[in-house]
Amino acid sequence: MNKNRNEQDNRWYEVTLKDQSSRIVKGQQSIPAIKRKYKGKIRSIRRITLQGLRNRPKEKLGEYIAFLDLEYNTGDQNAYPTEIISVGLLIVERKSLTEKESYYSLVRPKINTVLNPYCQELTGLKQVEVDHAPDFGTVFGEVMKLYRRWNIRQTFVFGNADKPVFLDNLRIYQGGDELERIGESMRDLSQSLFFTLFEKEGSLSLEKTSRILDVSVDGEIHHALNDARLLFLCYRAVVKGEIPGDRLSMARDELLIREAYHRGRRFEEPKSGMSQEKKEEALLLIDEMLRSVKTESLKEKGKLLALCDDILLVTGERPRFQKEYFHWI
């Protein structure tokens, strides 16, 4: 117990309030107390390392903030780099959380020029569109003008991929110091949003996070500007405390089931060699288990679903209960 307490004591958390001031607290056990103290005033909570705490610069907050999303063409890293093919940017007034200006453009890559099928399916972009797009220097020259005009000092992204991809592309295109500073200042909101909602470390996709927060945009996801705006709407909902309690409750329950499910799974790939007769017997067993085993325990339900999917794998079938039962997480 003492060891566990020491581990918790060695964790540091940064609590950002709605007035943009921040508090540093030590140990996860401090979180409930600071939530009570600043009830209704907390914007986000994120874990930071001790080294990060020591190296933490004093942040100069501007009047406006940016929400940025990038789409890129992935490839074989041994032959081709991952190059940006579209950028979406939303400028927001920090205090009022109102949109001020938006920007969207495709970007024509110069090395990894052929869109792979996965990228085309994900983004809906066509090769001819990217072929006729402006180049990196032109697009990010326009982005840089927006940053200067609005004096943007803080950029929010979702996930841990956009920042390294952006910095890699700067090296490819020799983007310059100003763009380098934008890249270095990018802050991933995925984990802080997750922690604020669930009070534990982790992350969800932007689509699932927006579903829990009941926010949406007109248009398809994996469109850079739509995703930038969706990230802003998630951020605004959390900052303003506009979190649907019923959706969050269902998501928290499902998270407990999912965690137990993944801990309970034993097999990854379907087995072979089982006769059709044995397969049918196993499927009947699964149906009987799901009908007869009733439990109020979310963890036990997760274990049961894991067992059922493992039985399916033993019969040579693919697991199906994660997809059937997990809607929010």
Side-chain angles (χ1 to χ4, degrees):
M1 181 175 294
N2 289 336
K3 180 181 179 182
N4 291 336
R5 178 170 293 278
N6 287 336
E7 290 176 354
Q8 294 294 335
D9 286 344
N10 287 331
R11 294 184 179 185
W12 293 80
Y13 295 87
E14 180 184 41
V15 180
T16 303
L17 304 181
K18 291 182 179 180
D19 64 1
Q20 288 304 310
S21 62
S22 62
R23 305 290 185 274
I24 302 298
V25 296
K26 182 178 180 181
Q28 196 170 21
Q29 67 273 11
S30 300
I31 298 299
I34 203 163
K35 280 189 171 182
R36 289 192 298 271
K37 182 175 181 179
Y38 297 102
K39 186 176 181 180
K41 299 180 180 179
I42 294 177
R43 171 167 289 192
S44 65
I45 302 175
R46 68 187 185 101
R47 183 183 168 188
I48 54 177
T49 63
L50 184 59
Q51 187 64 33
L53 178 64
R54 289 170 178 163
N55 298 335
R56 184 171 171 265
K58 292 184 178 179
E59 190 175 31
K60 295 180 180 179
L61 302 174
E63 187 177 353
Y64 302 96
I65 53 178
F67 293 83
L68 178 74
D69 185 76
L70 305 171
E71 301 294 334
Y72 23 84
N73 188 30
T74 56
D76 181 356
Q77 294 301 307
N78 294 323
Y80 300 107
T82 296
E83 284 187 81
I84 296 170
I85 56 173
S86 69
V87 55
L89 178 68
L90 195 66
I91 308 297
V92 171
E93 187 177 32
R94 181 185 297 280
K95 289 185 177 180
S96 66
L97 291 178
T98 55
E99 295 184 25
K100 305 304 290 185
E101 189 170 352
S102 63
Y103 175 83
Y104 173 77
S105 179
L106 298 179
V107 182
R108 185 179 73 251
K110 74 173 184 179
I111 301 174
N112 190 10
T113 58
V114 179
L115 299 183
N116 64 56
Y118 171 76
C119 178
Q120 293 188 57
E121 181 179 357
L122 186 71
T123 64
L125 294 175
K126 295 180 173 56
Q127 184 68 50
V128 65
E129 295 176 295
V130 175
D131 288 343
H132 291 86
D135 62 18
F136 183 94
T138 300
V139 171
F140 282 94
E142 294 173 351
V143 168
M144 196 67 250
K145 289 179 183 177
L146 286 171
Y147 269 76
R148 291 175 188 145
R149 182 189 308 160
W150 294 100
N151 192 24
I152 302 298
R153 299 175 183 174
Q154 192 171 50
T155 303
F156 293 127
V157 296
F158 192 90
N160 59 6
D162 280 7
K163 179 175 180 176
V165 167
F166 181 75
L167 292 174
D168 284 346
N169 276 241
L170 289 187
R171 286 185 274 275
I172 294 171
Y173 294 102
Q174 298 179 344
D177 292 342
E178 283 189 285
L179 287 174
E180 184 86 20
R181 283 193 289 273
I182 290 177
E184 293 294 349
S185 68
M186 287 181 185
R187 179 179 164 190
D188 171 19
L189 282 180
S190 62
Q191 293 190 18
S192 60
L193 287 174
F194 186 94
F195 190 92
T196 302
L197 293 174
F198 299 104
E199 299 180 8
K200 60 176 66 179
E201 294 179 33
S203 64
L204 291 176
S205 69
L206 180 58
E207 181 181 8
K208 290 183 177 180
T209 302
S210 66
R211 189 185 309 159
I212 293 169
L213 293 170
D214 196 20
V215 296
S216 61
V217 294
D218 294 330
E220 299 295 325
I221 60 171
H222 300 301
H223 176 283
L225 182 55
N226 289 345
D227 284 3
R229 180 168 282 114
L230 194 58
L231 173 57
F232 161 60
L233 293 176
C234 289
Y235 175 86
R236 187 176 68 179
V238 169
V239 167
K240 292 190 172 185
E242 298 170 348
I243 303 172
D246 55 342
R247 290 174 175 244
L248 182 58
S249 177
M250 287 186 285
R252 284 176 170 172
D253 287 351
E254 196 172 284
L255 181 62
L256 290 175
I257 297 173
R258 188 187 73 166
E259 289 172 345
Y261 170 88
H262 285 296
R263 284 196 300 269
R265 284 287 302 278
R266 294 292 179 269
F267 306 116
E268 296 296 330
E269 296 296 330
K271 309 299 179 181
S272 59
M274 181 172 284
S275 67
Q276 186 60 37
E277 181 181 358
K278 292 295 185 182
K279 283 185 179 182
E280 292 175 358
E281 290 177 358
L283 294 176
L284 288 173
L285 175 62
I286 289 174
D287 290 338
E288 178 64 25
M289 288 170 59
L290 292 174
R291 283 197 306 270
S292 60
V293 178
K294 305 296 182 183
T295 176
E296 297 298 321
S297 168
L298 300 176
K299 292 182 180 180
E300 292 303 319
K301 185 174 182 179
K303 291 179 183 178
L304 175 63
L305 296 178
L307 177 59
C308 291
D309 269 346
D310 276 340
I311 293 174
L312 283 175
L313 286 165
V314 170
T315 68
E317 300 293 325
R318 303 296 305 181
R320 70 167 185 256
F321 292 103
Q322 181 177 7
K323 184 176 293 186
E324 288 186 12
Y325 281 82
F326 300 159
H327 305 291
W328 297 98
I329 298 300

